[in-house]
Amino acid sequence: MRHLVLTAIALFTFSINTMAEKGFDVQKEITINVSAAELWEMVGPGFVDVYKWSSNVDHAEGAGNSDFDGAVCHERFCDVNVKGFSKISEELTYYSIPEMKLAYAVKEGMPGFVTKAVNQWTVVPIDDHSCKLVMKAEFRSKGLMGAMMNGMMEKKMKTTLETVLNDAKVYAETGEVSEAKRERMAELDKKKKKEAA
């Protein structure tokens, strides 16, 4: 009997530990018809200005001096337009001008079961007038809630990355915001006027 109890405890502990390691990686990319240097200027030095073109970010501010050469800040604080979230803070974890690559980790604003939420952006040259923007998100969670929510979070992350990539393409190629961003800006303006009335 004691052996059975110990086995059950061991299996339970193993299942909890296994659940703690659950997660997913999502990678999406899009071809953008501008030079790699031009796109990098928008997403690298323009890291904090993401709110100007992304329909998922209503406002962003940078803070702190980065250890990475050329990076505009150490942290970015965002008001986001993503269901289930409102404000998040992100820490720049990688920034390379020669590679045209940056990465950031969400430090605050995620549910308690999330242990890691990292996004990496890379600009990949194709020719003098086109390039790819590649986004790779890494997500890890713990416990029963994490195991239950992973599928939904992965689906949401895929949609979010596709939206951001499309927003980036429209803005980089035309200098105008996407239809999704226009709709979001109109929604915020309407809300602001209603609150002021």
Side-chain angles (χ1 to χ4, degrees):
M1 181 68 179
R2 185 169 180 270
H3 178 70
L4 286 173
V5 170
L6 290 173
T7 302
I9 291 170
L11 286 171
F12 177 75
T13 303
F14 175 76
S15 67
I16 291 297
N17 288 337
T18 302
M19 282 191 288
E21 297 169 356
K22 293 292 183 183
F24 58 84
D25 295 350
V26 174
Q27 182 167 309
K28 296 282 183 180
E29 62 180 55
I30 197 167
T31 299
I32 299 179
N33 296 310
V34 298
S35 69
E38 192 176 340
L39 183 62
W40 171 251
E41 191 68 23
M42 179 179 133
V43 300
F47 181 66
V48 178
D49 294 331
V50 63
Y51 71 96
K52 292 181 179 179
W53 54 265
S54 172
S55 55
N56 286 325
V57 183
D58 294 332
H59 183 68
E61 292 180 5
N65 295 319
S66 175
D67 292 332
F68 297 108
D69 186 39
V72 294
C73 63
H74 173 68
E75 293 178 280
R76 183 171 69 180
F77 301 90
C78 300
D79 295 336
V80 294
N81 174 33
V82 180
K83 191 174 181 181
F85 306 96
S86 59
K87 293 180 181 292
I88 59 171
S89 68
E90 303 159 334
E91 180 183 348
L92 202 61
T93 58
Y94 190 81
Y95 189 95
S96 171
I97 296 171
E99 295 177 87
M100 291 188 283
K101 180 187 292 187
L102 64 84
Y104 55 88
V106 178
K107 305 304 288 182
E108 293 180 11
M110 298 294 279
F113 60 84
V114 176
T115 58
K116 181 181 182 181
V118 175
N119 202 351
Q120 177 182 283
W121 296 18
T122 308
V123 177
V124 182
I126 297 175
D127 55 35
D128 290 345
H129 306 290
S130 64
C131 59
K132 284 184 181 179
L133 180 55
V134 182
M135 294 186 180
K136 182 182 179 183
E138 296 178 51
F139 182 94
R140 299 291 180 270
S141 63
K142 65 181 180 181
L144 183 60
M145 184 60 74
M148 290 171 60
M149 297 294 287
N150 271 338
M152 187 187 79
M153 296 290 281
E154 182 174 6
K155 185 177 179 182
K156 182 64 182 172
M157 185 61 70
K158 286 178 180 177
T159 303
T160 299
L161 291 188
E162 286 170 0
T163 300
V164 176
L165 287 168
N166 183 66
D167 289 345
K169 179 179 174 69
V170 172
Y171 190 72
E173 291 181 354
T174 69
E176 302 291 333
V177 296
S178 67
E179 182 61 32
K181 181 64 173 177
R182 271 198 301 274
E183 288 176 1
R184 179 57 180 169
M185 289 167 72
E187 186 181 323
L188 289 171
D189 190 50
K190 188 177 179 180
K191 184 179 177 183
K192 191 176 179 180
K193 287 176 179 175
K194 189 176 180 181
E195 288 173 350

